[in-house]
């Protein structure tokens, strides 16, 4: 019986018994607990939990599923699959155990002429949860199973949940006895290869918490109604009804293996177990990959995209190990389309997109695989020749960092050679790389320290900057640099410096942040530009992250600026010129810019000035700036020599170095005239609104203004308006009265806090006598050790401890008080009486006895010690440890 027919019969059986046929959900659902749908019940989860009413009392579906936990095991056995189809019937408070068993038994054992599967009832077994006497009795009554073919099993086998908090319940599984040639007698508990599970009936009645009842933990509650969730493995049934040994030989999977046989010239099941593993990997992953892409996932380096990438790359590598060098994913995709589209027609209609994605991923990976495999083989051969068995972490890191090999692939390749990998060393190097990447941007951008590597590149000529006229430029890769050395290529995932002969991407200079953008090739290589710097003011060096493909020296590329980024960058830089001009107009010509920084939507301007600006002066600067924007002043560029610029009155900025020919940017003619190489708007109105954020000191004689422009300014002002309106509504006053009302409230709050401090101190001191009276005797010493109310300051705690000590009088006494503060912090004080000190009990020396419990620091003199800790949860243990210290004193 063909697999599509198996699915059709299942659907018809349950539709005829009153179930609504529900289409398979996408493999991608909005469920934060799952990467992919992994069970038939996932789309019905809200109904089982009672979060939403079920549209039907009972339903049936053939759900496509992906389980990723067994990827490494796929191929090694015939039992593991990543993609499978789960046929299920579901009851939402309609029927329960008896009817679920009736439905399953009828479909399995009814003759094929009557629409069933025609299994021999004498070869079927059932298992039940350990204490589910009801299910056991129903199997005897409904199905007529003898008790010797019904076995009890524990939660690991017969309790079902999704592996995460949610619905669950005891289950009953149905097994088919494949015969003695497949294993030993004794039922499923003895041999699950001979006794093959075909159907799981879950009696959904519980809600599990963080810990699963599979492992003996109690459910945290019961579902609002008792439900039924069953799952019949379509591929398992196909294996039995088609008379084959395993799922890889069924009608929907074997054709992929046949295609691999055709391409490789090798045969599956021909006595080579290593080849058989590769054939199974190809067959399983081809179906999984195509189904995942069909539901909208594309290969990537995170989450679902990473799983997909790993599946597709395992196919490619397995095929190459079978001796096939040419691209294959398109061939396998076509086979999966032809076999699976009768049940999933979207695979045929959407095939061009799916095929393109698979072929592109293969193209990218082949380049990576070719270079990286050679390096791995050399390293592995060397290890074997030296009698070593572990690939060093730095070599695994090199494969990842230089050749784009994911660590999973290195682990697999090593295992095939009988080697292990120093994963700890690899992870450490990855951590160091991430730390370097997060280092201060200024340190990253200041140097290219040793520029000798760029000499040959400089000799090829200056980079031509085209970004004033266009956002996209055809260019050639002149060189690639990594860690100060020239390299010939860079693969996916790597970060490398790219030097082009032409570029539209602005290199950071003049206070303007570098452009964001991409560098691509016609063959599909894509580089994300994360930074652009100048070397010797002539060479544009692009720091890029390789998103896909492999970039090589000499490649023809297109460099493109992110248009939205450039719009914001132009607004920020032109806005800086406007603020500078407004500042000089308001304060005079001595208020000269000493530095600046701007990026999309934001600007920062440093200027020489001796004192803080008044609120009125700040408002005036902001108003002059916005008047210039509103005036729609023309922005123009003049190229001249430095003498000509000076004659024009152009401002040359402190710390900048200029060429013989300089670029003068004018806004409104003489109103703003500066030497500048940055990108700018065409008219001042394009800057948009400008709002000052702050004005502050950055050192003696230097001030700093910060501002938002364009949409960032609009968003900021909208938030400010909403804040004021919210406060006005809360205080029930007009907007204009908000500041005065808030000031009055703050004054009242401060007065109340002072009064509260006095009251708290008084209450604490009043308890001193009671605490002294309650002292416990330990080894002749009176001990007062306890947790004071939360939030007591160190000073108040000290005052209380000293007062309690005074109340102990001449008795040998120790007082230890602890108080929990915010964020789990602890304040503590230890005080000792003079007679206790005479007996050798010093406050400072008692601290180490309990310090570990509260992660404490501090100490003190013999009479008084105080300090703080970081673990308030350990206060109780600290008191216990102090008691023990006194017992041993």
């Amino acid at each position: 019986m063909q697999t599509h027919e198996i699915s059709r019969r299942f659907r018809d059986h349950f539709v005829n018994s009153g179930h609504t046929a529900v289409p398979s959900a996408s493999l991608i659902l909005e469920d934060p607990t799952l990467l992919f749908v992994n069970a038939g019940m996932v789309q019905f989860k809200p109904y089982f939990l009672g979060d939403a009413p079920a549209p039907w009392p009972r339903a049936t579906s053939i759900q496509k599923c992906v389980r990723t936990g067994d990827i490494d095991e796929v191929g090694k056995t015939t039992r593991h699959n990543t993609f499978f189809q789960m046929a299920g019937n579901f009851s939402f408070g309609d029927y329960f155990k008896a009817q679920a068993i009736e439905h399953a038994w009828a479909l399995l054992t009814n003759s094929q002429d009557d629409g069933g599967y025609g299994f021999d009832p004498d070869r079927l077994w059932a298992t039940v949860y350990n204490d589910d006497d009801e299910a056991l009795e129903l199997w005897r009554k409904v199905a007529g199973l003898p008790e010797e073919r019904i076995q009890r099993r524990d939660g690991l086998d017969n309790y079902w949940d999704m592996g995460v908090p949610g619905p669950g319940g005891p289950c009953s599984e149905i097994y088919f006895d494949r015969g003695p040639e497949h294993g030993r007698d004794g039922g499923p508990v003895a041999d699950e290869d001979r006794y093959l599970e075909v159907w799981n009936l879950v009696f959904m009645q519980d809600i599990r918490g963080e810990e699963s009842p599979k492992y003996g933990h109690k459910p945290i509650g019961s579902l609002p109604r008792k439900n039924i969730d069953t799952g019949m493995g379509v591929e398992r049934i196909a294996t039995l009804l088609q008379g084959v040994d395993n799922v890889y030989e069924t009608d929907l999977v074997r054709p992929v293996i046949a295609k691999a046989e055709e391409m490789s010239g090798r045969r599956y099941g021909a006595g080579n177990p290593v080849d058989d593993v590769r054939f199974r990997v190809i067959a399983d992953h081809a179906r999984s990959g195509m189904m995942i892409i069909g539901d909208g996932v594309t290969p990537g380096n995170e989450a679902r995209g990473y799983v997909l990438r790993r599946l597709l790359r395992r196919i490619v590598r397995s095929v190459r190990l079978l001796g096939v060098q040419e691209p294959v994913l398109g061939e396998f995709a076509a086979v999966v389309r032809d076999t699976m589209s009768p049940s999933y027609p979207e695979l045929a209609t959407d095939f061009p997109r799916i095929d393109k994605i698979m072929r592109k991923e293969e193209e990218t990976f082949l380049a990576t695989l070719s270079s990286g495999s050679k390096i791995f083989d050399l390293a592995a051969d060397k290890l074997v020749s030296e009698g070593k068995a572990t690939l060093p972490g730095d070599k695994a890191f090199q494969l990842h960092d230089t050749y784009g090999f994911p660590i999973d692939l290195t682990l697999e390749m090593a295992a095939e050679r009988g080697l292990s990998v120093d994963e700890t060393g690899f992870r450490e190097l990855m951590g160091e790389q991430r730390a370097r990447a997060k280092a201060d941007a200024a340190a990253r951008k200041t140097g290219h320290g040793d520029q000798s590597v760029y000499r040959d590149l400089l000799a090829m000529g200056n980079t031509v900057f085209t970004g004033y006229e266009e956002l996209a430029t055809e260019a050639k890769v002149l060189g690639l640099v990594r860690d100060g050395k020239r390299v010939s290529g860079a693969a996916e995932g790597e970060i490398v410096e790219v030097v082009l002969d032409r570029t539209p991407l602005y290199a950071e200079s003049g206070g303007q942040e570098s452009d964001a953008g991409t560098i691509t090739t016609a063959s599909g290589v894509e580089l994300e530009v994360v930074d652009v710097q100048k070397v010797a003011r002539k060479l544009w060096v692009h720091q890029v992250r390789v998103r896909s493909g492999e970039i090589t020296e000499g490649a023809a590329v297109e460099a493109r600026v992110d248009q939205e980024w450039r719009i914001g960058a132009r607004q920020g830089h032109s806005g800086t010129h406007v603020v500078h001009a407004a500042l000089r107009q308001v304060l005079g010509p001595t208020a000269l810019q000493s530095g600046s920084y701007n990026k999309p939507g934001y600007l920062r301007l440093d200027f020489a000035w001796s004192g803080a600006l008044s609120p009125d002066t700040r408002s005036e600067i902001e108003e002059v700036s916005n008047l210039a924007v509103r005036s729609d002043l023309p922005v123009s560029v003049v190229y001249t020599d430095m003498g000509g610029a000076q004659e024009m009155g152009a401002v040359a900025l402190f710390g900048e170095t200029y060429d013989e020919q300089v670029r003068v940017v004018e806004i409104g003619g003489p109103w703003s005239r500066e030497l500048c190489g940055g990108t700018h708007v065409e008219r001042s109105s394009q800057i948009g609104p400008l709002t000052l954020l702050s004005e502050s000191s950055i050192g003696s004689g230097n001030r700093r203004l910060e501002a938002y422009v364009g949409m960032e300014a609009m968003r900021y002002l909208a938030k400010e308006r909403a804040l004021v309106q919210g406060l006005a509504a809360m205080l029930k006053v007009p907007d204009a009265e908000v500041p005065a009302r808030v000031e009055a409230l703050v004054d009242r709050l401060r007065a109340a806090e002072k009064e509260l401090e006095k009251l708290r101190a008084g209450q604490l001191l009043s308890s001193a006598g009671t605490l002294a009276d309650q002292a416990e005797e330990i080894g002749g010493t009176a001990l007062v050790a306890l947790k004071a109310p939360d939030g007591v300051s160190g000073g108040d705690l000290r005052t209380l401890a000293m007062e309690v000590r005074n109340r102990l009088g001449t008795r040998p006494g120790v007082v230890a008080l602890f108080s929990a503060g915010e964020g789990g912090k602890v304040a503590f004080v230890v005080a000792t009486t003079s007679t206790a000190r005479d007996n050798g009990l010093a406050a400072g020396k008692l601290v180490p006895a309990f310090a570990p419990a509260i992660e404490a620091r501090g100490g003190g003199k013999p009479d008084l010690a105080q300090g703080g800790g970081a673990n308030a949860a350990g206060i109780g243990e600290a008191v216990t440890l102090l008691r023990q210290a006194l017992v041993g004193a």
Side-chain angles (χ1 to χ4, degrees), residues 214-431:
K214 281 177 173 286
Y215 304 98
H217 300 280
K218 294 291 185 183
I220 61 173
S222 298
L223 293 171
R225 296 185 298 176
K226 293 182 177 180
N227 308 301
I228 288 296
D229 158 34
T230 83
M232 186 197 80
V234 173
E235 286 81 4
R236 293 276 181 95
I237 296 293
T239 298
L240 297 173
L241 293 181
Q242 293 173 19
V244 295
D245 186 64
N246 58 70
V247 66
Y248 290 96
E249 298 176 10
T250 59
D251 61 318
L252 298 189
V253 185
R254 190 62 175 82
V256 181
I257 293 179
K259 173 58 70 172
E261 289 176 321
E262 174 190 326
M263 300 179 75
S264 67
R266 302 189 192 184
R267 291 292 172 263
Y268 177 64
N272 186 332
V274 176
D275 277 358
D276 288 350
V277 170
R278 293 164 182 160
F279 280 118
R280 288 192 287 266
V281 167
I282 293 164
D284 174 86
H285 290 3
R287 289 211 311 164
S288 302
M290 187 145 175
M291 301 302 291
I292 291 171
I293 294 172
D295 279 347
V297 181
T298 55
N301 291 326
E302 295 181 358
R304 299 181 180 108
Y306 176 74
V307 171
L308 173 59
R309 170 160 287 164
R310 189 175 172 202
L311 292 171
L312 297 181
R313 292 187 168 190
R314 289 191 84 202
I315 298 172
V316 175
R317 184 165 169 273
S318 295
V319 171
R320 286 174 67 85
L321 291 172
L322 289 174
V324 182
Q325 301 300 315
E326 63 268 22
V328 297
L329 287 187
E331 300 287 338
F332 294 138
V335 175
V336 175
R337 174 199 60 196
D338 295 342
T339 56
M340 298 295 291
S341 58
S343 289
Y344 305 99
E346 63 272 17
L347 294 179
T349 57
D350 200 24
F351 184 73
R353 179 187 68 86
I354 298 171
D355 180 61
K356 182 178 179 181
I357 290 172
M358 294 182 76
R359 289 177 184 272
K360 179 65 174 66
E361 180 64 17
E362 181 172 25
E363 176 188 327
T364 299
F365 184 53
L366 283 175
T368 297
L369 192 61
S370 176
S371 54
S373 293
K374 293 175 184 176
I375 300 300
F376 173 83
D377 289 338
L378 288 172
D381 291 342
K382 183 179 180 183
L383 287 174
V384 172
S385 67
E386 295 174 350
K388 298 178 181 178
T390 302
L391 185 74
D394 60 347
K395 184 59 67 174
F397 179 76
Q398 179 191 9
L399 284 165
H400 166 84
D401 190 50
T402 306
Y403 299 99
F405 261 44
I407 184 63
D408 305 300
L409 180 57
T410 302
L411 290 169
E412 285 184 21
M413 294 172 67
E416 289 173 358
R417 296 288 299 269
L419 303 172
S420 61
V421 178
D422 176 14
E423 289 188 72
T424 301
F426 170 81
R427 305 292 177 196
E428 289 175 353
L429 289 169
M430 284 294 294

Side-chain angles (χ1 to χ4, degrees), residues 189-204:
V189 298
D191 191 332
E192 288 197 8
D193 284 326
R194 171 176 172 173
Y195 300 90
L196 186 68
E197 179 196 341
V198 296
W199 207 332
N200 188 11
L201 313 180
V202 180
F203 310 130
M204 193 80 68

Side-chain angles (χ1 to χ4, degrees), residues 1-17 19-22 60-63 85-88 107 110-117 199 232-235 237-238 241-242 251-252 340 342-344:
M1 185 181 296
Q2 298 297 296
T3 302
H4 298 303
E5 175 65 11
I6 292 170
S7 297
R8 186 193 65 78
R9 286 179 181 239
F10 186 94
R11 188 180 295 108
D12 289 350
H13 175 79
F14 283 101
V15 169
N16 292 336
S17 61
H19 293 68
T20 299
V22 179
T60 185
S61 71
I62 312 293
Q63 175 65 49
Q85 298 173 88
M86 187 64 74
L107 178 58
N110 283 352
S111 71
Q112 293 187 9
D113 290 340
D114 292 332
Y117 294 141
W199 207 332
M232 186 197 80
V234 173
E235 286 81 4
I237 296 293
L241 293 181
Q242 293 173 19
D251 61 318
L252 298 189
M340 298 295 291
S343 289
Y344 305 99

